[in-house]
Structure formats: C-alpha cells, structure tokens
Amino acid sequence: MSRRPRRLSACAFALAVVATATAAGEPPARPWMNASLSPDARAALVVQAMSQDEKFQLITTAYGSASDGKPAPACALGSAACAPALSRLGLPALQETDAGLGVARPLNAHSRDVATALPSGLATAASWDPAVAEAGGAMIGREAHRKGFNVLLAGGVNLLRDPRNGRNFEYAGEDPLLAGVMAGHAVRGIQSQHVVSTLKHYAVNDLETGRNTMNAKLDRVAARESDLRAFEIALGIGAPGSVMCAYNRVNGTYACENAWLLDQVLKRDWGYQGFVMSDWGAVHSAAKSALAGLDQESAGETFDPQMFFAAPLREAIAKGEVPQARLDDMVRRILRSLFAVGAIDHPAKAAPIDYAADAKVSQHAAEAGAVLLRNQDNLLPLARTLASVAVIGAHADRGVLAGGGSSAVTAPGGNAVPGLAPTVWPGPVMYHPSAPLAAIARRVGGKASYASGEDIAAAAKLAASSAVAVVFVQQWAAESFDRPSMALDGHQDALVAAVAKANPRTVVVLENNGPVAMPWLAQTAAVLEAWYPGNAGGEAIARLLFGEVAPSGRLPLSWPRDASQLPRPAIAGAGLAAIGLPPQGQPADTVDYDIEGADVGYRWFQRRGSEPLFPFGYGLGYTTFGYGPLTVTTDAAGAVTASFAVTNTGSRAGADVPQLYVQLPGEQVSRLVGWQKLALRPGETKRVRLALPAVRFARYDDRGHGWRVAAGTYRLLLGRSSAQIEQRAELRLPAVFPAGAQR
Ligand code: BGC
C-alpha cells in the first residue's frame, strides 16, 4: 500500500557521479544531431558512440524527489524520476514527471509548483471527442516541456472492469475502442510538444488492492480482445515513446518480466519500436526482465529490492546470460523515442506558462465530458432569473475534488481544502480552487446560499426556502487502494434524501471516481455526473447547469445498480483505514478476470441479461436528436461504411454522439465499432459517414496469431447508447485477416 521508498537512493548518487565523471573529454563529432536522419538512424549512431557505462546510465532512472529524509539526486527537478545528461554525447537529462491529468509532483514536492489540472481521464473519455483528448494532451505536454520535462508518465488506459478501482479516474473507461482512441489522442497531443508520453500500466492493472503482487488471470485471447486491444489501438494512434509495465502479475508472471506481454505481444506482434519502462517498484529480476523486454528500470534504487539494471545486469551480460545486443537494443529504443518526438532537437526548458489559457482547455474538457444522467421535467437548464439557489455539500463553497496518488496535480491557487485525511500518501486530498458556489452565485445576481451539509436539518431548511437546491456529493478515490463498496462516504445519502424531500427541485452534482450507489435517485429532479472536473470545474459545472453549454457527455462505462451486478461482487482487502474504510480480509493472490473475459462492462450486462442503472454510452442533453435510415456498404477487404443523418429535433443547440455497435455472427453481446460527436443547431441535419475498418469486426485467432473476420452475417446497430438501439442493418462480410494496426 505504502509508496514509501524501500531503500535509500545512495547507489543512484554513486552512479550519477561516476557517469558525470566519465562524461568529461573531447566532445565527439555528433552525426546523430543531423535532424534530417531518421530517429532509428540517429539512435543507432549514438549507440555506436556510447561507452558501456553510458549505456548503463540510460537504462535506469533515479527517483526525482527527496525521500525518506534523503536529498534528491543531482539531476532531480522534484518529480518522479531523472537520469543525468550524457553531455559528452550532447544528450539532455531524462526528466520524467507524472501524469495524465497534468504535471504532478510527488509527496513533499507538491507545494513547490503548480500546474493546470485536467478533469479526470473518465471525463475526457466521456466527451467521446478525440479532439478534446488531444487538446488536453497538448496542453499538459506543453506545460511539462516548459517546466523542463521531456517524459510525461501519462496515457493511462487500463480498462474499467470494476467501478471501485481507485484509479479509474486516470483511465478511459471500459471499452477497448473508446479507451484506446481517447488515450491514443491524448498521447499524440502530449508528444506534439516534444515530450515522450508513456502508455500505462501494461497490463491488466485493473485493481489497486494488492497491486504489487496480485496475479491477474485472464485468458490470452480475451486479453487480446479487451485490455490489450485498448493498448494496441492507443499505440497505433499515439505512437507513445514508452510503455510502462505494471506492478501486477499477469497469468502468473510479473508484468515487467513477462515475455509474452513485452516481447511477444508488444514488440513482435505489434511491432513496437519504443521502450518499456517499469512502474516504480515493479522490477523483480535483472536477466529475466531484460530478456523479457524491459528496457529501463525506473527509480529502482528507491522502489525495487535492489537496482537490477546495474550490477546484476552487468554480471548477467558478462556471463553471457543476456546478450550485449539486448543492452544495445534497450538503449537504442530509449534514444529512438527521444529523437522521434523531438525531445533532443527541441530540449525541454523553463519557459512562461499561460495558466489562464490552459485553464480554458481544462474547462472545455470538463464541459464536453460531463454527463447528464437525469433531468425530470427539464428542470435543467436553470434560469438566471431564479429567486434563490441553495448550494449544498462537498466544499462547493471552496472548490472541486480531484483524485489522489501520483497523478494529483496542485493547480494554481493550491489546495482549496487542505488538511483532510489522508494528508499523506495517497493523499493529500486535493480540492482545486474553483468554487461552484461563486460560479453559480455570479449567474443569479448573488442569490445563492451555501450549507456545508454537515448539519442535514440546516441544509434541508435552506433547500426548502430556495427556488432550487444543488447538492454536491463527492467520493474521493486514489491510487493504491480500491473502495470496498459503491456507497458514498459519510451521511451524503441521507443529506441528498433530506434535501430532495425538502425541495423536489433538487439537482445532484457528482464529483467522483465513477459509478456510486444512488439510493435517492428517484427523489431527485436532476443528476449531473461531473467526475473530478479539473481546475476550472466550478465554472464548467455552472455553465452546464445554466445551459451556457449543453451537456453532451456519454458514459464511457456501465453504471451498475449495485456491486452485486459485477463479475466480482467483493474485492477482498479493499479499503483505506485513513478515510474510515478499514480493509476487510487479505487481498486475493489471484483475481480471476476469466469470469467476464473480454465481456467487460456492457458486454457483461448483455451476457447476463441484466440491466445496469445507466448503460454504457448513455447521456442526456437539453435537446433531442432524430436519426435517419442507416445505410451500410462493404468492400472486398471487409471494410464497412455506415451512413445516416442526425437531426436536432429540439429547440436548443446541442451535441449528440450516435454510436454504432455490431453483433458478430451467433453472438448476443455487442461491440462498439464507431461513433461520432457532432454539434447541431436547432433543426439542423448533418450526415454522418463512418468508415469502420475490418478489424473492428474481427476476433483474435490465437492459433493463426492474428485478427480474423469470419465470413457471415453481422448485425450493425445504431444507438443512443449500448442499450438504446434505434436502427439495425444486416451485412455479410467475407473472411479476411486484417492487420491489428488497423483501428
Ligand atoms: C504509479 C505510476 C506513476 C509512478 C511514478 C507509480 O506508483 O503506478 O502511474 O507514474 O508511480 O510516480
């Protein structure tokens, strides 16, 4: 659980000192600085010129922050990791920082710097708009570059198999295509700024409980069609310079020494040219890891039992256990990625950051990704002429909640609600200083009043005397633990019920990691899922509530009624004592993901014939949309083109997300194969034409080592969500063997 360093970083210092000493001498001619050469050619030239010590310097990084009372290494910028510059070769230091929601600093380094915080990964995924993901990626990549970082530990794409997973907010939901596309575009945005992005945590790190040892059991074909497919798609779109292998074991072998995952699937089958870095404390061996495909050990001096990619790997090479060529390949891959994104031609360095402009990027993502779950009698949007608004709960007078752990960003203005438990890892609990109360008050001429919700009777009284009540509820989640249940903490359920009873015109705004139980749902008029909305979240929420922007997010996950609907109703050992949820029992040694296999989320519900509270793809807006007839054509290569018209049939502008699913021959479950987000004025019609590559209709054939579309009749479904299908079309596809690189 604890992320406290296991050992001091003494040997990292020693290594850095040796490396600096050997860096003296005449600068060689540097043919690799010729930017007209390919990244591969440039990397190969550097490798030829490197000494063995320089190679070893590049395949490890050191923790980039002070820890356990010990100072940080000389290269440190107060971040996740660094490796000193190879000045003799003209190569900059590797400067790595977390994470996918903005530049995050670890532990005690938190207070030193601020950065723009994006809304949670689930919010971005819920926008169903790759441009939102890419713009967010470019913004945080730019900030990273301007803070001196050339590697951003972003690109979280573990599938949401359980709403209680503490890191869902860093990821992109339950569907491999949606998650892969959104994460891939985020990576592309980051790397457009000359910053290497990772894709993480490879693979099947779908729960936090017992993550350091837990064995994720998942059939290989099912893995290829679910968790691995999300990575494969994201790789194809984003070409991340690095992939971070996960803490857990996969089918019995640790991810960072798992030859099937790293060497076979990633590097051979997918042709991945970048480097594999370990998660912090995820390495368990030298030779085995190196031979399996691990290229860089991250902060091993602090987090691993020993620095495997130092003396032990040198020994393994000397003994011939690991070929020298493997070491050269590790180094080549790291360099290639740096050249490919321009990290060497455009070195990261301190430069001014326009935080106001960047906050707008974050705000746009929050607005595009908020999901309107309920809106009885069109209570929303609210009018600015309201006589009074009661704003209740979740510190809405001060800010909006963020998730915790290594991805937590300290936004400009700092933590709006400091001191909440836990104040140490995986805390601090962070509220970004964007208060919904002030944003709402600005829209109603100041006629908004706040009740903290601590005193339920006082909150209900305020609600009863107000024209509308907006209750904020929150659920803090963080890296390193899972929630034992879907229930909201404390007396929030009682609070909502009391407020809704006092005033039927009650709107609930959720700030959370994902699905929570909502026993009070039927009593409320409206519910807006705002996720962790980022550091302009208060403004975004107010704009959505007052209709300055229409909600257009769609759920990137299935929202269960309760945990009994999940493949694994309980997570043994889940919880965190510091927030009043003491873990019950021991974490399981093995988590059996074969229960649902590739039928994650909506496919699980379909297979079971059970109905979630809200289905994958669901979301309301302030207008209505009609769909014209669905027409489908296919070509000899098995590619499908679907086309239909979408009309805004209501009286307000809005954006819709028509979704296409397919049922493979003989299958009852469906699979998302395409979608488009489109904005329409009232009365406006747009034609949607979706080109669907053959691989989206394929199953993975383990014996044939590839994707295979079976000849047969497929049913294409046009829906508003995975459960609300408006039109169906049948199509016959020929047998084809599409490349996995197709998306
Ligand atoms: C997390 C990674 C993170 C790393 C560096 C680990 O605990 O799992 O996502 O990038 O720490 O902070």
Side-chain angles (χ1 to χ4, degrees), residues 163-164 475 482-489 515-517 563 569 571 574-575 581:
R164 297 160 298 187
Q475 176 215 44
D482 303 312
R483 294 201 143 253
S485 85
M486 289 174 58
L488 288 169
D489 290 334
V516 291
I571 306 173
L581 301 171

Side-chain angles (χ1 to χ4, degrees), residues 580-642:
L581 301 171
Q584 305 294 309
Q586 288 302 309
D589 172 71
T590 295
V591 176
D592 184 6
Y593 290 115
D594 285 329
I595 294 172
E596 75 276 34
D599 291 339
V600 181
Y602 59 94
R603 293 165 60 88
W604 169 253
F605 281 92
Q606 290 170 351
R607 188 166 114 184
R608 302 281 288 195
S610 64
E611 269 185 26
L613 188 57
F614 298 110
F616 174 84
Y618 171 85
L620 303 172
Y622 295 152
T623 185
T624 50
F625 298 97
Y627 299 158
L630 170 64
T631 60
V632 185
T633 59
T634 57
D635 70 15
V640 176
T641 303

Side-chain angles (χ1 to χ4, degrees), residues 406-421:
S406 59
S407 68
V409 174
T410 304
N415 190 352
V417 190
L420 298 178

Side-chain angles (χ1 to χ4, degrees), residues 413-471:
N415 190 352
V417 190
L420 298 178
T423 51
V424 293
W425 176 262
V429 175
M430 179 79 66
Y431 277 77
H432 299 312
S434 175
L437 173 64
I440 290 170
R442 272 198 296 281
R443 287 167 169 83
V444 291
K447 290 173 286 185
S449 312
Y450 180 70
S452 73
E454 286 303 305
D455 179 341
I456 294 181
K461 196 168 164 212
L462 177 66
S465 64
S466 303
V468 164
V470 184
V471 195

Side-chain angles (χ1 to χ4, degrees), residues 3 98 167 200-201 211 244 247 279-280 406 479:
R3 199 163 173 276
D98 285 304
R167 294 188 92 170
K200 69 187 190 184
H201 307 86
R211 65 177 179 169
M244 188 191 291
Y247 285 123
D279 202 341
W280 276 230
S406 59
E479 177 181 345

